[in-house]
Amino acid sequence: GESKKKYDLTYQWSTNIGEIVSGQGTTAIKIKWPGGNSSLATVEIKGLPEGCPASASETTYLCDGLPIPILIDEFGRMAKAAIEKRISRFWAELANNPNSQGYIINYSSDKEIATRERLLVKTINFRNFDRSRITLVRGGTHPTGKVFTKLYRIPPGADNPRP
């Protein structure tokens, strides 16, 4: 049989704001910070094989002590290629925040929303994005009366936005 090498890993955490109150040296931390609405935590992992990614970062946003959804982009009617570029940028945001979920709200008539959803799903599937990380929601009619889309990143613990 094949033997699996075990690595002696150490975790060194840092944060741009606030204080790490527990978890230093482990795989998860708790941060207490005095104000502002976001904090960036970074971990450096020592003991991994050469060439392996050895650091990761995550930004957490707060509102009254709770994470909140982050509006990444919003747009109305536009060319298919422009929408595809926006979805790619949205996916890059999700890729940089692997613990977050994507949440897309489409507004308009059911017929126009269905057309927009088909384009979004086709783009997500064509680029092999993980569809399980994105929720599509129908928001009803937009105040402009035209098709409109909002792209959100939902950090862990945040509630989904309401349409």
Side-chain angles (χ1 to χ4, degrees), residues 77-97:
R77 191 174 310 281
M78 62 176 42
K80 177 182 168 198
I83 292 173
E84 290 170 345
K85 282 183 184 177
R86 286 175 178 243
I87 293 298
S88 290
R89 283 197 303 266
F90 179 55
W91 191 258
E93 174 74 18
L94 292 177
N96 288 331
N97 294 279

Side-chain angles (χ1 to χ4, degrees), residues 1-156:
E2 230 178 80
S3 68
K4 293 187 178 184
K5 183 173 180 182
K6 294 198 179 205
Y7 296 96
D8 185 23
L9 303 179
T10 58
Y11 304 89
Q12 181 64 44
W13 289 91
S14 61
T15 181
N16 67 332
I17 296 174
E19 169 191 0
I20 298 170
V21 294
S22 67
Q24 185 62 271
T26 70
T27 59
I29 59 170
K30 287 187 180 178
I31 300 172
K32 176 182 175 186
W33 69 90
N37 66 351
S38 70
S39 178
L40 174 71
T42 302
V43 64
E44 297 290 330
I45 305 166
K46 295 185 175 36
L48 289 170
E50 185 80 22
C52 288
S55 69
S57 296
E58 180 74 29
T59 300
T60 299
Y61 295 82
L62 292 183
C63 174
D64 296 330
L66 299 173
I68 59 171
I70 300 117
L71 180 64
I72 301 301
D73 196 2
E74 56 186 335
F75 51 91
R77 191 174 310 281
M78 62 176 42
K80 177 182 168 198
I83 292 173
E84 290 170 345
K85 282 183 184 177
R86 286 175 178 243
I87 293 298
S88 290
R89 283 197 303 266
F90 179 55
W91 191 258
E93 174 74 18
L94 292 177
N96 288 331
N97 294 279
N99 295 323
S100 292
Q101 292 292 310
Y103 197 81
I104 301 174
I105 304 175
N106 290 297
Y107 300 89
S108 193
S109 67
D110 282 342
K111 182 180 177 185
E112 282 190 304
I113 290 173
T115 300
R116 173 72 50 103
E117 285 176 342
R118 278 193 300 276
L119 173 60
L120 296 174
V121 170
K122 185 177 177 182
T123 300
I124 290 163
N125 291 340
F126 179 75
R127 289 179 167 72
N128 291 321
F129 298 152
D130 182 356
R131 176 68 178 86
S132 70
R133 290 190 61 202
I134 296 177
T135 300
L136 295 173
V137 174
R138 292 184 176 202
T141 305
H142 192 262
T144 63
K146 299 187 186 317
V147 66
F148 199 81
T149 298
K150 291 185 176 186
L151 308 174
Y152 288 91
R153 180 171 67 80
I154 312 298

